[in-house]
Amino acid sequence: MFEELQAIVGPERVTRDPGELYCYSFDSSYVRGHADYVVRPKSAEEVAEIVKVATKYNTPIVARGSASGLTGGSVPVKGGIVLDMTGMNRILELEVENLQAVIEPGIIHKELNNELIKHGFFFPPDPGSSDMCTVGGLIANGGSGMHSVKYGTVKDYVLGLEVVLPSGDIINTGCKAPKTSSGYDLTRLFIGSEGTLGIVTKARLRIHPLPETKSIMMATFGRIEDAGRAAVSVLSSGVIPAAMEIMDGSAIKAVKELDPTLEVPDVEAMLLFEVDGYRESVTREVGLICTICEQCGGTTRVAKNKNEEERLWAARRLVGVAITKLNPGKVRVYEAEDIGVPIKDVPFMLKKIQEIGRKHGMSLVTYGHIGDGNLHTGIAINPRDEAEWKRVHAVKDDIYDVVLSLGGTLPAEHGVGIIRADYMARAHGKGYEVMKSIKKAVDPQNIMNPGKMGM
Amino acid sequence: MFEELQAIVGPERVTRDPGELYCYSFDSSYVRGHADYVVRPKSAEEVAEIVKVATKYNTPIVARGSASGLTGGSVPVKGGIVLDMTGMNRILELEVENLQAVIEPGIIHKELNNELIKHGFFFPPDPGSSDMCTVGGLIANGGSGMHSVKYGTVKDYVLGLEVVLPSGDIINTGCKAPKTSSGYDLTRLFIGSEGTLGIVTKARLRIHPLPETKSIMMATFGRIEDAGRAAVSVLSSGVIPAAMEIMDGSAIKAVKELDPTLEVPDVEAMLLFEVDGYRESVTREVGLICTICEQCGGTTRVAKNKNEEERLWAARRLVGVAITKLNPGKVRVYEAEDIGVPIKDVPFMLKKIQEIGRKHGMSLVTYGHIGDGNLHTGIAINPRDEAEWKRVHAVKDDIYDVVLSLGGTLPAEHGVGIIRADYMARAHGKGYEVMKSIKKAVDPQNIMNPGKMGM
């Protein structure tokens, strides 16, 4: 197989050197695997030829971007070929007049936006890992980010995909027109399929003009329920903030401990808002949000300049750091995180998470995108301590139980991978059988990223 | 089979009376079929039992809403059971705080919105057939409407579905949370699948707060290219109109002939804009649109009150009527309509359509939603004249050729059904094989609306 792979990409872009293979054995989770070969393709045609080899030898094949994923999604848990897609990182077309761009999947999210911004546009789905994640990874995981409350997820910004199927056939889904009702929506089927159905080699993206201005504001609340009520009222009022973040008492406490100079009062809940658009409507919306938050018992503060914006947002940015810094010797594990519940159930869910933490003797720090019901729970443990892992899994089970009982979702934006695979059947019931039948129809040998999503 | 169906729904809600069956033999296209039984279910459980009978007898089963479809999508072309879904027309949950509502598929689109408006909300996808079409039909066809340029299509407004599979199993796709990245996106797979994969029995919809105000304006242009340039410039400027409609010379001529009192100048192109949102931003956007249109050589007119709004919009509303009224003895056939092209190719496409019409000696009237590249071509013929049908099909072939060469789509919002089934392979290449393999995996006996989309 090694020689056949070399014949496709040349000797420079395929390796089986143990040192190099090691670098491809993990992502940002605790899942580990072992690749037999790493190949660095430069074109869809090369990917197609490599996939044909994988099919011929019945060998797993896993596409990998920056491996910033949190679920083991790009980890070669069953060995085989890892496709390092980072060499396919070009912007192939930029048609601002059609509000679209065609990219290769290995482009770094931030670099795409750096280029678009020059033309007055941006690609709205904004994962926290923008600096390092590839757009291909974002597509594979059906990801989004802080601004999805207004701008939606990656599913709303892909017009079409070029995909290499297990057969080696290259298909094009979708079209160049802004909307279509032509046949099954393969584009959205491949988005979020985590490489289990095919390898994305090109994506036609919708891009969006940059807003004229934005404004940042904070509201603090003595009771988490009041923050929840305020968030719901803001959305029902017709205001659609660009971002609406929540931090509960656990998160506020953590960041205050980390940086006592932070101007965050000692409260039970904090909402952070970003509003964008025309100057006039931003002014209007900031006013509306203040009124609503105050009616719900909140204290509001609007940033008057860039510097104040930075300071208001500092607390939110520090949460991630605080989780590990406050637990010396421990590291954050991305388990029991990334849940989605109906918006109005967010306060209930936040309280439940604290209750579950106390039950299992673990300190949990929770924050998230309340505008779309998406919460992230931070847990720091000593990953060599088996007992701690056991408690993590108990916490995860309990949290997921509550989420599913509310009709919510796991995951909301980070994908399933390995770490949530065991929950798929419970989350989807017989719908999971439908997913498996689709997987079998498209990839009968199960060579495409096997093991992920329980496939 | 008749007795088994009666046992499920009782004798009152199943029929094989020829007169009644006749009423279920067509939709709004020229496709005709013949049902063997019509059943009017009242619940998902009944649908599941009926589907089991269909599976047992290997009999086609077709769900039908109001049959306002334009493609034969709900016509029983292979006989079997027609499920009249109009009896399942309730709003089951209305959770304005979560910005969502759960409905049964038989509810009339307009009636849903009439109810939502009472609470200050609306369901944005707005097919022209709102007065009669069911939301289930809209979902089955992946439809949208005039306001999709700002608000998107039905795919953007379904959080989850309850679906009866060919096995009779009832699954729930999606969740109650606003976003999810949990497994394959079955929700969006079923949307637009035209009943070929399962029967939708419930839908959880996202709803949207009503905008504070709206404004209507018109811009007329001596050259179609200028109208196209203006439309593109408006969108790139960051303005997202709620609607942006185009009428070319053919449509303008038709409505002027129908109503000579209409205050529409004798021009080659006309853009109609609707802008909505806060008062301040509407004022701002109207100003921006005027400036851009005038810079592109257009003459603008903003409606100053409801009455003027009505008059500006009258031309657009009259196009459909004009197509038939100006051709006495002829009727409109919905062929060669509903195409989608990249936004900036709209002027080129409009010219091409006229060229194709002249080539085949047919008068074509074209108008559409330029904001999302979606054009509708009106053709009126004597449907008993075989020669006219031949010319219609020649026109259709030529138009679709150009659309596909531009990377466009057919259909953009009306579905595939029977009338566009023959174009699926050409439009999707090997992607069509993927669709067929999914169909086979989910519906191995091919009892679900067979023949549609070429399945």
Side-chain angles (χ1 to χ4, degrees), chain A residues 105-136:
Chain A
I107 190 168
I108 300 294
H109 182 272
K110 181 71 161 271
E111 287 171 9
L112 170 62
N113 266 333
N114 285 346
E115 187 57 35
L116 295 177
I117 284 165
K118 292 180 197 163
H119 303 267
F121 286 80
F122 74 119
F123 175 61
D126 60 331
S129 53
S130 171
D131 287 348
M132 55 179 162
C133 79
T134 63
V135 176

Side-chain angles (χ1 to χ4, degrees), chain B residues 5 8-9 13-14 21 24 35-54 60-67 74-76 79-88 105-106 134 164-165 195 198-201 447-449:
Chain B
L5 294 171
I8 297 165
V9 296
R13 290 193 277 120
V14 54
L21 293 183
Y24 291 86
D36 297 308
Y37 308 96
V38 170
V39 194
R40 301 183 187 94
K42 285 282 186 189
S43 69
E45 290 66 32
E46 285 184 1
V47 172
E49 291 310 309
I50 298 161
V51 167
K52 282 181 195 164
V53 171
I61 183 160
V62 186
R64 176 184 142 126
S66 305
S74 65
V75 177
I81 300 165
V82 169
L83 284 177
D84 177 341
M85 302 299 285
T86 55
M88 290 176 66
T134 63
V164 176
L165 299 176
I199 315 276
V200 171
T201 47
I447 60 158
M448 289 281 161
N449 208 2

Side-chain angles (χ1 to χ4, degrees), chain A residues 247 249-260 262 315 318-332 363-366 378-381:
Chain A
M247 288 168 59
S250 71
I252 294 168
K253 194 162 158 271
V255 296
K256 281 178 77 76
E257 265 181 58
L258 183 69
D259 182 354
L262 263 188
L318 279 180
V319 191
V321 187
I323 291 163
T324 36
K325 284 259 171 126
L326 294 177
N327 295 280
K330 299 196 173 189
V331 294
R332 181 171 180 186
S363 144
L364 306 178
V365 175
T366 313
I379 310 180
I381 62 166

Side-chain angles (χ1 to χ4, degrees), chain B residues 107-145:
Chain B
I107 190 168
I108 300 294
H109 181 272
K110 183 72 160 271
E111 286 170 11
L112 169 63
N113 266 333
N114 285 347
E115 186 57 34
L116 294 176
I117 284 165
K118 291 180 198 165
H119 302 269
F121 285 80
F122 74 119
F123 176 61
D126 60 331
S129 53
S130 170
D131 287 347
M132 54 179 161
C133 79
T134 63
V135 176
L138 180 68
I139 290 171
N141 284 296
S144 46

Side-chain angles (χ1 to χ4, degrees), chain A residues 95-99 121 141-142 144-145 148 153 155-156 165 169 171-172 175-186 188-189 192-194 196-197 208-209 212 232 235-240 278-281 284-285 288 338 340-344 369 372-374 406-416 424 428 430-431 434-435 437-439 441-442 453 455, chain B residues 95-99 121 141-142 144-145 148 153 155-156 165 169 171-172 175-186 188-189 192-194 196-197 208-209 212 232 235-240 278-281 284-285 288 338 340-344 369 372-374 406-416 424 428 430-431 434-435 437-439 441-442 453 455:
Chain A
E95 292 189 24
V96 295
E97 288 186 322
N98 280 325
L99 310 176
F121 286 80
N141 285 296
S144 46
S148 64
T153 79
K155 290 182 189 178
D156 304 308
L165 298 176
D169 286 338
I171 63 166
N172 284 284
C175 61
K176 282 185 75 169
K179 72 183 187 191
T180 174
S181 65
S182 181
Y184 302 155
D185 191 342
L186 296 184
R188 278 156 162 156
L189 180 65
S193 68
E194 305 186 7
T196 61
L197 298 174
H208 202 280
E212 182 177 85
V232 165
L235 291 175
S236 316
S237 78
V239 175
I240 305 180
Y278 296 121
R279 255 178 291 277
E280 301 89 317
S281 55
R284 171 80 169 273
E285 290 190 322
L288 280 168
D338 193 29
V341 294
I343 304 163
K344 75 170 178 186
H369 321 315
D372 50 29
N374 182 196
L406 293 171
T409 183
L410 46 109
E413 60 177 4
H414 289 170
V416 176
M424 288 293 280
H428 298 285
K430 284 177 177 162
V434 177
M435 294 183 198
S437 73
I438 291 170
K439 163 72 172 176
V442 178
M453 291 186 187
M455 301 287 178
Chain B
E95 292 189 22
V96 296
E97 288 186 320
N98 279 326
L99 311 175
F121 285 80
N141 284 296
S144 46
S148 64
T153 77
K155 289 181 190 179
D156 303 308
L165 299 176
D169 286 338
I171 63 166
N172 283 285
C175 61
K176 284 184 74 169
K179 71 182 188 192
T180 173
S181 66
S182 180
Y184 301 157
D185 191 341
L186 297 184
R188 276 152 163 160
L189 180 65
S193 68
E194 303 186 9
T196 62
L197 298 176
H208 202 280
E212 180 177 88
V232 165
L235 290 176
S236 317
S237 78
V239 175
I240 305 180
Y278 296 119
R279 257 179 288 278
E280 301 89 314
S281 55
R284 171 81 169 274
E285 290 191 323
L288 280 168
D338 193 30
V341 296
I343 304 162
K344 74 170 179 186
H369 320 315
D372 51 30
N374 181 196
L406 293 171
T409 184
L410 46 109
E413 59 177 4
H414 288 170
V416 176
M424 288 293 280
H428 297 287
K430 285 178 175 160
V434 177
M435 293 182 199
S437 73
I438 291 170
K439 164 73 172 171
V442 179
M453 293 186 184
M455 300 289 177

Side-chain angles (χ1 to χ4, degrees), chain B residues 231-253:
Chain B
V232 165
S233 302
V234 165
L235 290 176
S236 317
S237 78
V239 175
I240 305 180
M244 179 160 68
E245 298 288 299
I246 191 163
M247 289 168 57
D248 76 355
S250 71
I252 294 167
K253 194 162 157 275

